[in-house]
């Protein structure tokens, strides 16, 4: 479901969660994997979509918007650990120095 707080009541609950459990979400096996660079600060909450179909194939994608009006779509590539990023920016806007974004 793609909506703020995961459901129409805005509770933030995902009552059908099957992947994250108390057994696999802990300090040794769960946490930050990498920093992804953008053209500015990411102020808004990134949006994650699992199994988004892009050009006929399913991808897990993180969308992030920056203070420079750029929107990035980051997807893990075919090679283990590879991440591809694509940016869309409003016309007339110029990027500033690149900074770490998704944490």
């Amino acid at each position: 479901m793609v909506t703020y707080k995961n459901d129409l009541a805005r509770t933030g609950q995902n009552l059908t969660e099957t992947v994250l459990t108390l057994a696999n979400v802990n300090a040794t096996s769960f946490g930050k994997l990498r920093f992804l660079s953008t053209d500015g600060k990411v102020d808004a909450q990134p949006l994650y979509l699992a199994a988004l179909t892009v050009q006929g194939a399913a991808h897990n994608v993180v969308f992030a918007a920056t203070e420079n009006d750029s929107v990035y779509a980051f997807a893990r590539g075919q090679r283990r650990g590879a991440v591809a990023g694509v940016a869309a920016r409003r016309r007339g806007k110029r990027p500033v120095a690149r900074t770490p974004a998704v944490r």
Side-chain angles (χ1 to χ4, degrees):
M1 176 178 292
V2 182
T3 188
Y4 178 70
K5 293 277 190 169
N6 199 51
D7 62 3
L8 296 177
R10 309 301 192 255
T11 65
Q13 298 176 351
N14 180 357
L15 301 178
T16 60
E17 176 62 61
T18 59
V19 177
L20 300 177
T21 67
L22 294 176
N24 66 18
V25 178
N26 57 61
T28 60
S29 66
F30 188 83
K32 177 177 62 180
L33 298 176
R34 65 185 54 86
F35 284 95
L36 302 173
S37 294
T38 64
D39 67 356
K41 185 177 175 186
V42 175
D43 289 324
Q45 178 72 35
L47 172 66
Y48 171 75
L49 291 177
L52 177 66
T53 302
V54 179
Q55 295 179 343
H59 297 275
N60 296 330
V61 180
V62 173
F63 292 92
T66 72
E67 63 189 357
N68 295 312
D69 294 330
S70 296
V71 177
Y72 287 79
F74 294 103
R76 188 171 189 159
Q78 295 292 334
R79 293 176 287 129
R80 184 177 174 93
V83 175
V86 177
R89 190 171 48 245
R90 290 167 93 187
R91 274 185 219 199
K93 297 287 184 177
R94 294 178 22 182
V96 296
R98 297 174 67 87
T99 58
V102 181
R103 298 170 191 221

